[in-house]
Tab-separated table of all heavy atoms in Angstrom:
chain	number	residue	atom	x	y	z
A	960	LEU	N	-2.826	-10.058	8.502
A	960	LEU	CA	-3.986	-9.185	8.315
A	960	LEU	C	-3.857	-8.373	7.040
A	960	LEU	O	-4.818	-8.229	6.276
A	960	LEU	CB	-4.128	-8.254	9.523
A	960	LEU	CG	-5.312	-7.292	9.512
A	960	LEU	CD1	-6.626	-8.055	9.522
A	960	LEU	CD2	-5.245	-6.350	10.720
A	961	ILE	N	-2.654	-7.843	6.795
A	961	ILE	CA	-2.422	-7.060	5.578
A	961	ILE	C	-2.641	-7.931	4.340
A	961	ILE	O	-3.281	-7.512	3.370
A	961	ILE	CB	-0.995	-6.471	5.580
A	961	ILE	CG1	-0.850	-5.431	6.703
A	961	ILE	CG2	-0.662	-5.838	4.233
A	961	ILE	CD1	0.562	-4.925	6.891
A	962	ALA	N	-2.115	-9.156	4.390
A	962	ALA	CA	-2.245	-10.057	3.245
A	962	ALA	C	-3.707	-10.417	2.977
A	962	ALA	O	-4.180	-10.394	1.832
A	962	ALA	CB	-1.423	-11.320	3.495
A	963	ILE	N	-4.447	-10.741	4.047
A	963	ILE	CA	-5.860	-11.121	3.894
A	963	ILE	C	-6.673	-9.945	3.369
A	963	ILE	O	-7.508	-10.084	2.472
A	963	ILE	CB	-6.422	-11.624	5.238
A	963	ILE	CG1	-5.763	-12.959	5.616
A	963	ILE	CG2	-7.938	-11.789	5.159
A	963	ILE	CD1	-6.091	-13.438	7.017
A	964	TRP	N	-6.423	-8.752	3.949
A	964	TRP	CA	-7.177	-7.566	3.515
A	964	TRP	C	-6.866	-7.260	2.053
A	964	TRP	O	-7.741	-6.832	1.293
A	964	TRP	CB	-6.819	-6.362	4.396
A	964	TRP	CG	-7.940	-5.377	4.554
A	964	TRP	CD1	-8.617	-4.743	3.558
A	964	TRP	CD2	-8.534	-4.914	5.771
A	964	TRP	NE1	-9.578	-3.896	4.072
A	964	TRP	CE2	-9.549	-3.984	5.432
A	964	TRP	CE3	-8.291	-5.166	7.119
A	964	TRP	CZ2	-10.298	-3.320	6.388
A	964	TRP	CZ3	-9.048	-4.510	8.063
A	964	TRP	CH2	-10.050	-3.604	7.708
A	965	ALA	N	-5.606	-7.480	1.644
A	965	ALA	CA	-5.231	-7.228	0.253
A	965	ALA	C	-5.979	-8.165	-0.698
A	965	ALA	O	-6.358	-7.769	-1.804
A	965	ALA	CB	-3.725	-7.394	0.087
A	966	LEU	N	-6.202	-9.401	-0.262
A	966	LEU	CA	-6.916	-10.370	-1.096
A	966	LEU	C	-8.393	-10.034	-1.230
A	966	LEU	O	-9.028	-10.398	-2.215
A	966	LEU	CB	-6.762	-11.778	-0.503
A	966	LEU	CG	-5.366	-12.406	-0.602
A	966	LEU	CD1	-5.329	-13.727	0.162
A	966	LEU	CD2	-4.981	-12.630	-2.068
A	967	PHE	N	-8.933	-9.329	-0.226
A	967	PHE	CA	-10.377	-9.068	-0.216
A	967	PHE	C	-10.709	-7.585	-0.374
A	967	PHE	O	-11.631	-7.071	0.245
A	967	PHE	CB	-11.005	-9.621	1.062
A	967	PHE	CG	-11.014	-11.119	1.118
A	967	PHE	CD1	-9.974	-11.809	1.725
A	967	PHE	CD2	-12.044	-11.848	0.538
A	967	PHE	CE1	-9.973	-13.200	1.773
A	967	PHE	CE2	-12.044	-13.229	0.576
A	967	PHE	CZ	-11.004	-13.921	1.187
A	968	GLY	N	-9.897	-6.893	-1.168
A	968	GLY	CA	-10.324	-5.563	-1.589
A	968	GLY	C	-9.588	-4.378	-1.008
A	968	GLY	O	-10.124	-3.267	-1.036
A	969	LEU	N	-8.388	-4.558	-0.485
A	969	LEU	CA	-7.620	-3.413	0.004
A	969	LEU	C	-7.230	-2.533	-1.181
A	969	LEU	O	-6.630	-3.019	-2.148
A	969	LEU	CB	-6.368	-3.877	0.746
A	969	LEU	CG	-5.494	-2.767	1.351
A	969	LEU	CD1	-6.233	-2.068	2.487
A	969	LEU	CD2	-4.172	-3.340	1.863
A	970	ARG	N	-7.555	-1.257	-1.117
A	970	ARG	CA	-7.253	-0.336	-2.199
A	970	ARG	C	-6.442	0.843	-1.657
A	970	ARG	O	-6.758	1.376	-0.603
A	970	ARG	CB	-8.540	0.182	-2.851
A	970	ARG	CG	-9.367	-0.893	-3.557
A	970	ARG	CD	-8.652	-1.401	-4.816
A	970	ARG	NE	-9.463	-2.407	-5.509
A	970	ARG	CZ	-9.393	-3.706	-5.295
A	970	ARG	NH1	-8.536	-4.181	-4.382
A	970	ARG	NH2	-10.140	-4.546	-5.967
A	971	ILE	N	-5.423	1.214	-2.402
A	971	ILE	CA	-4.582	2.345	-2.012
A	971	ILE	C	-5.077	3.591	-2.739
A	971	ILE	O	-5.128	3.621	-3.975
A	971	ILE	CB	-3.104	2.085	-2.356
A	971	ILE	CG1	-2.599	0.839	-1.629
A	971	ILE	CG2	-2.241	3.292	-1.993
A	971	ILE	CD1	-1.206	0.412	-2.014
A	972	SER	N	-5.436	4.604	-1.981
A	972	SER	CA	-5.927	5.841	-2.571
A	972	SER	C	-4.821	6.522	-3.374
A	972	SER	O	-3.640	6.448	-3.028
A	972	SER	CB	-6.409	6.791	-1.460
A	972	SER	OG	-6.635	8.094	-1.965
A	973	ARG	N	-5.232	7.182	-4.444
A	973	ARG	CA	-4.255	7.911	-5.253
A	973	ARG	C	-3.537	8.962	-4.415
A	973	ARG	O	-2.336	9.193	-4.596
A	973	ARG	CB	-4.963	8.580	-6.434
A	973	ARG	CG	-4.030	9.370	-7.349
A	973	ARG	CD	-4.795	10.103	-8.426
A	973	ARG	NE	-5.577	9.180	-9.256
A	973	ARG	CZ	-6.382	9.573	-10.240
A	973	ARG	NH1	-6.529	10.871	-10.501
A	973	ARG	NH2	-7.051	8.684	-10.954
A	974	ALA	N	-4.253	9.561	-3.484
A	974	ALA	CA	-3.649	10.602	-2.653
A	974	ALA	C	-2.597	10.043	-1.713
A	974	ALA	O	-1.700	10.767	-1.265
A	974	ALA	CB	-4.738	11.315	-1.844
A	975	ALA	N	-2.685	8.743	-1.371
A	975	ALA	CA	-1.720	8.124	-0.464
A	975	ALA	C	-0.587	7.423	-1.199
A	975	ALA	O	0.302	6.838	-0.558
A	975	ALA	CB	-2.433	7.129	0.452
A	976	THR	N	-0.583	7.490	-2.533
A	976	THR	CA	0.466	6.837	-3.313
A	976	THR	C	1.865	7.329	-2.960
A	976	THR	O	2.806	6.525	-2.904
A	976	THR	CB	0.207	7.018	-4.819
A	976	THR	OG1	-1.080	6.486	-5.142
A	976	THR	CG2	1.258	6.309	-5.649
A	977	PRO	N	2.065	8.644	-2.707
A	977	PRO	CA	3.417	9.091	-2.339
A	977	PRO	C	3.964	8.387	-1.092
A	977	PRO	O	5.170	8.141	-1.011
A	977	PRO	CB	3.221	10.598	-2.069
A	977	PRO	CG	2.057	10.974	-2.904
A	977	PRO	CD	1.147	9.785	-2.883
A	978	LEU	N	3.083	8.052	-0.150
A	978	LEU	CA	3.523	7.324	1.048
A	978	LEU	C	4.131	5.986	0.649
A	978	LEU	O	5.227	5.627	1.119
A	978	LEU	CB	2.328	7.108	1.983
A	978	LEU	CG	2.583	6.240	3.217
A	978	LEU	CD1	3.527	6.944	4.176
A	978	LEU	CD2	1.261	5.916	3.915
A	979	LEU	N	3.448	5.241	-0.213
A	979	LEU	CA	3.943	3.938	-0.656
A	979	LEU	C	5.238	4.078	-1.451
A	979	LEU	O	6.221	3.373	-1.183
A	979	LEU	CB	2.872	3.250	-1.511
A	979	LEU	CG	3.285	1.938	-2.189
A	979	LEU	CD1	3.626	0.878	-1.152
A	979	LEU	CD2	2.183	1.448	-3.126
A	980	VAL	N	5.255	4.992	-2.398
A	980	VAL	CA	6.417	5.136	-3.280
A	980	VAL	C	7.657	5.538	-2.494
A	980	VAL	O	8.741	4.957	-2.674
A	980	VAL	CB	6.125	6.172	-4.387
A	980	VAL	CG1	7.387	6.489	-5.182
A	980	VAL	CG2	5.026	5.664	-5.311
A	981	LEU	N	7.530	6.504	-1.603
A	981	LEU	CA	8.699	7.003	-0.867
A	981	LEU	C	9.204	5.978	0.147
A	981	LEU	O	10.421	5.847	0.342
A	981	LEU	CB	8.363	8.325	-0.182
A	981	LEU	CG	8.158	9.503	-1.140
A	981	LEU	CD1	7.615	10.726	-0.407
A	981	LEU	CD2	9.462	9.847	-1.858
A	982	LEU	N	8.299	5.243	0.797
A	982	LEU	CA	8.741	4.224	1.747
A	982	LEU	C	9.430	3.057	1.032
A	982	LEU	O	10.446	2.536	1.506
A	982	LEU	CB	7.553	3.707	2.559
A	982	LEU	CG	7.054	4.633	3.671
A	982	LEU	CD1	5.772	4.081	4.294
A	982	LEU	CD2	8.116	4.817	4.751
A	983	VAL	N	8.887	2.651	-0.121
A	983	VAL	CA	9.524	1.572	-0.874
A	983	VAL	C	10.881	2.026	-1.407
A	983	VAL	O	11.868	1.274	-1.353
A	983	VAL	CB	8.608	1.111	-2.028
A	983	VAL	CG1	9.355	0.178	-2.977
A	983	VAL	CG2	7.376	0.409	-1.469
A	984	THR	N	10.957	3.267	-1.899
A	984	THR	CA	12.234	3.801	-2.390
A	984	THR	C	13.264	3.848	-1.270
A	984	THR	O	14.440	3.533	-1.485
A	984	THR	CB	12.022	5.202	-2.982
A	984	THR	OG1	11.019	5.160	-3.993
A	984	THR	CG2	13.319	5.726	-3.591
A	985	MET	N	12.828	4.243	-0.083
A	985	MET	CA	13.735	4.263	1.068
A	985	MET	C	14.304	2.874	1.323
A	985	MET	O	15.506	2.706	1.567
A	985	MET	CB	12.986	4.762	2.306
A	985	MET	CG	13.832	4.892	3.558
A	985	MET	SD	12.819	5.224	5.028
A	985	MET	CE	12.414	3.534	5.524
A	986	ASN	N	13.462	1.858	1.245
A	986	ASN	CA	13.913	0.494	1.492
A	986	ASN	C	14.778	-0.038	0.357
A	986	ASN	O	15.669	-0.870	0.593
A	986	ASN	CB	12.715	-0.415	1.737
A	986	ASN	CG	12.182	-0.309	3.153
A	986	ASN	OD1	12.714	-0.936	4.061
A	986	ASN	ND2	11.155	0.503	3.352
A	987	ILE	N	14.540	0.420	-0.850
A	987	ILE	CA	15.444	0.065	-1.953
A	987	ILE	C	16.832	0.618	-1.665
A	987	ILE	O	17.850	-0.044	-1.924
A	987	ILE	CB	14.893	0.605	-3.293
A	987	ILE	CG1	13.634	-0.162	-3.679
A	987	ILE	CG2	15.947	0.504	-4.388
A	987	ILE	CD1	12.937	0.385	-4.918
């Protein structure tokens, strides 16, 4: 579902960018 939604217009809000950055950094 995530992959399909990403192909058809999933957009990450600028305000939610810290969520993505911090979770990815944690996994790094």
